[in-house]
């Protein structure tokens, strides 16, 4: 089976992890700060806080921004459930904004319309989580402008987008957002097995994120209510969690980060090759914003079903039967049973549902060979029966 995504691990990665294993610190040592600094300087952000997953990063990002009971968080229905669940962890309410049919990202026009209406009804969101789906950046200038006009905070869920650029700057620079979150799950662009990062340019948010990832506990005397009782002293000044990244994970991260440029370059080569070799087929290849450089975590095609004999499901099943590990990113969140119980219904976000009825994620990963890609393409031709 050719998977839709797969990690790339070298001897240098293995050596880096083994070196940590024989060092003094398996956690809370010098390697996590090294990884944070390396990524912060790569993307051009002031602060980077490593955590044990992007899900944890989203959770503490929302808490740091003050999201709580009675507040709303809005996001796209076409994303992994974690982008929405973070609202519920904080006791806040969730709502969605439908996607743009061309970019598959949150639609800025619909966002504006919904904000105007919410403003009238006095229920504006406190936080909007925007998702750079597949690595393709959202229209950040427009979203930032709306954020200023309607006074909401912006979290970029950039789990798909590390190494990508928007308007000449790396995703993660937080130029247009309060906090950016990356994931290092093995299917993502670089990996630490499990792991995530929250980036920000705001000193106060960085301090909150740092407390929240480790029990709300500090040894920084400037944050304490009084002078330390002694050298052993720490204070709990907030309610936090244990969301820390280990030294082993960070060592893998530092090592992987050195190859990030080449990973994204290879993904672009594969995407360009797909674009060319699929151009005669009844399907839509991913549109790219001219002023952006995608991380290309995913390569999603949309079937033009009116031109096909086979159904979406038949094409998908045929690919799987032919050993192609295709996938579907994502099932619209509002149609999940847990979300339906909150009152969301099928039909609420028609563009997201249309996308779901046509989309297939083809394999794309740094070690994918041209031969493997040819195999995917001929299997797809067979599945489409053209
Ligand atoms: C993978 C992913 C997450 C969750 O990442 P973890 O590191 O596995 O917690 C969140 N949002 C999106 C868009 C993702 O793709």
């Amino acid at each position: 089976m050719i998977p839709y995504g797969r990690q790339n691990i070298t001897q240098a990665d293995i050596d880096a992890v083994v070196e940590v294993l024989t060092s003094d610190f398996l956690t809370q040592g010098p390697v996590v700060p090294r990884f944070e600094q390396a990524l912060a300087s790569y993307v051009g952000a002031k602060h980077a806080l490593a955590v044990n997953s992007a899900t944890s990063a989203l959770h503490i990002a929302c808490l740091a921004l003050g999201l709580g009971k009675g507040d709303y968080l809005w996001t796209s229905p076409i994303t992994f459930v974690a982008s929405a669940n973070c609202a519920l962890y904080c006791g806040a309410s969730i709502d969605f904004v439908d996607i743009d049919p061309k970019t598959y990202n949150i639609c800025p026009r619909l966002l504006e319309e919904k904000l105007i209406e919410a403003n009238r009804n006095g229920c504006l969101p406190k936080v909007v989580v925007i998702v750079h789906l597949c690595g393709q950046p959202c229209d950040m200038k427009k979203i930032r402008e709306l954020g200023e006009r309607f006074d909401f905070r912006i979290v970029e869920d950039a789990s798909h987008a590390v190494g990508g650029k928007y308007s000449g700057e790396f995703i993660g620079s937080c130029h247009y957002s309060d906090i950016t979150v990356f994931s290092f799950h093995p299917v993502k662009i670089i990996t630490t097995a499990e792991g995530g990062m929250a980036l920000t340019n705001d000193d106060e948010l960085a301090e909150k994120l740092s407390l929240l990832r480790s029990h709300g506990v500090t040894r920084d005397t400037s944050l304490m209510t009084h002078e330390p009782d002694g050298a052993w002293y720490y204070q709990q000044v907030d309610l936090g969690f244990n969301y820390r990244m280990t030294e082993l994970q960070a060592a893998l991260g530092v090592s992987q980060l050195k190859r990030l440029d080449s990973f994204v370059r290879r993904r672009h080569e594969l995407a360009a090759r797909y674009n060319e070799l699929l151009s005669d087929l009844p399907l839509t290849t991913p549109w790219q914003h001219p002023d952006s450089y995608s991380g290309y975590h995913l390569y999603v095609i949309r079937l033009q079903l009116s031109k096909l004999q086979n159904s979406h499901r038949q094409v998908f099943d045929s690919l799987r039967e032919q050993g192609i590990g295709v996938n579907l990113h994502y099932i619209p969140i509002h149609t999940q049973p847990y979300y339906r119980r909150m009152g969301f219904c099928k039909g609420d976000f028609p563009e997201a549902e249309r996308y779901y009825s046509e989309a297939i994620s083809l394999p794309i990963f740094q070690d994918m060979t041209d031969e493997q890609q040819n195999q995917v393409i001929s299997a797809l031709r067979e599945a489409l029966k053209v």
Side-chain angles (χ1 to χ4, degrees):
M1 185 76 90
I2 300 174
Y4 84 84
R6 192 182 196 284
Q7 70 277 14
N8 163 286
I9 300 292
T10 60
Q11 191 59 45
D13 291 338
I14 295 166
D15 293 344
V17 175
V18 170
E19 194 183 321
V20 167
L21 267 175
T22 54
S23 77
D24 291 338
F25 297 98
L26 300 186
T27 187
Q28 294 177 286
V31 188
V32 165
R34 206 177 297 151
F35 183 35
E36 292 171 337
Q37 276 150 28
L39 192 59
S41 83
Y42 182 93
V43 301
K46 190 166 177 196
H47 304 281
L49 284 298
V51 285
N52 58 1
S53 71
T55 304
S56 302
L58 287 164
H59 182 192
I60 61 174
C62 290
L63 288 175
L65 292 169
L67 190 77
K69 206 166 160 24
D71 295 327
Y72 264 99
L73 179 149
W74 291 2
T75 190
S76 166
I78 299 294
T79 178
F80 187 54
V81 289
S83 316
N85 287 343
C86 55
L88 308 177
Y89 298 156
C90 302
S93 301
I94 181 84
D95 204 353
F96 302 95
V97 179
D98 210 348
I99 62 167
D100 178 295
K102 199 153 123 186
T103 65
Y104 318 149
N105 282 329
I106 196 167
C107 173
R109 184 182 52 81
L110 293 176
L111 175 62
E112 183 170 13
E113 283 173 19
K114 196 174 172 111
L115 286 163
I116 290 168
E117 198 190 322
N119 195 26
R120 266 203 300 268
N121 302 332
C123 56
L124 282 168
K126 183 168 222 167
V127 173
V128 174
V129 173
I130 61 100
V131 182
H132 305 305
L133 193 77
C134 307
Q136 154 113 278
C138 293
D139 183 351
M140 292 311 297
K141 285 175 189 160
K142 178 72 184 172
I143 291 164
R144 174 60 180 258
E145 185 191 303
L146 292 171
E148 278 163 15
R149 188 166 136 210
F150 293 99
D151 196 29
F152 61 81
R153 312 299 291 271
I154 301 166
V155 174
E156 293 175 70
D157 182 344
S159 295
H160 299 182
V162 69
K165 286 181 189 170
Y166 171 78
S167 197
E169 283 176 296
F170 276 108
I171 302 285
S173 74
C174 300
H175 190 124
Y176 304 94
S177 65
D178 296 285
I179 298 172
T180 300
V181 167
F182 290 132
S183 170
F184 310 123
H185 184 279
V187 296
K188 306 291 163 73
I189 297 169
I190 57 170
T191 190
T192 61
E194 296 282 359
M197 191 82 80
L199 298 105
T200 183
N201 292 324
D202 183 312
D203 298 343
E204 211 173 303
L205 284 176
E207 193 176 289
K208 282 186 187 159
L209 290 165
S210 164
L211 279 171
L212 288 165
R213 80 166 155 188
S214 194
H215 309 284
V217 154
T218 185
R219 286 181 186 277
D220 179 350
T221 51
S222 72
L223 300 177
M224 291 184 189
T225 54
H226 58 78
E227 286 298 305
D229 295 350
W232 65 86
Y233 198 65
Y234 60 82
Q235 271 191 350
Q236 184 185 343
V237 296
D238 200 347
L239 182 64
F241 307 87
N242 180 353
Y243 282 169
R244 292 186 305 260
M245 177 180 275
T246 68
E247 293 281 285
L248 302 167
Q249 291 166 302
L252 184 52
V254 171
S255 184
Q256 290 258 311
L257 187 56
K258 292 178 185 152
R259 304 199 300 288
L260 176 55
D261 286 338
S262 67
F263 285 175
V264 177
R265 224 178 300 125
R266 177 61 185 152
R267 286 172 178 275
H268 272 260
E269 275 172 23
L270 289 163
R273 220 166 156 261
Y274 269 140
N275 289 344
E276 192 191 322
L277 297 172
L278 301 178
S279 61
D280 62 317
L281 293 175
L283 51 83
T284 307
T285 54
W287 182 83
Q288 296 296 293
H289 192 288
D291 195 15
S292 73
Y293 180 69
S294 176
Y296 263 122
H297 164 55
L298 298 173
Y299 187 90
V300 171
I301 55 163
R302 285 180 72 165
L303 304 182
Q304 293 167 2
L305 290 169
S306 63
K307 298 181 188 162
L308 290 172
Q309 301 291 323
N310 285 345
S311 69
H312 179 238
R313 182 150 176 192
Q314 283 169 329
V315 173
F316 191 98
D317 289 347
S318 163
L319 285 162
R320 281 272 178 97
E321 278 159 24
Q322 295 179 80
I324 312 300
V326 285
N327 218 310
L328 209 174
H329 301 90
Y330 290 92
I331 304 161
I333 298 179
H334 68 283
T335 67
Q336 295 287 358
Y338 188 81
Y339 280 82
R340 284 197 196 209
R341 272 184 251 138
M342 276 172 237
F344 292 104
C345 301
K346 213 164 170 203
D348 283 351
F349 304 100
E351 208 54 65
E353 292 169 35
R354 198 166 308 133
Y355 166 91
Y356 175 59
S357 71
E358 300 170 355
I360 297 177
S361 304
L362 298 183
I364 189 165
F365 48 96
Q366 31 280 347
D367 289 340
M368 189 177 184
T369 63
D370 288 3
E371 276 92 85
Q372 284 177 314
Q373 191 176 30
N374 293 342
Q375 216 178 309
V376 173
I377 293 162
S378 58
L380 183 58
R381 284 182 187 280
E382 170 65 24
L384 296 169
K385 294 271 189 336
V386 291

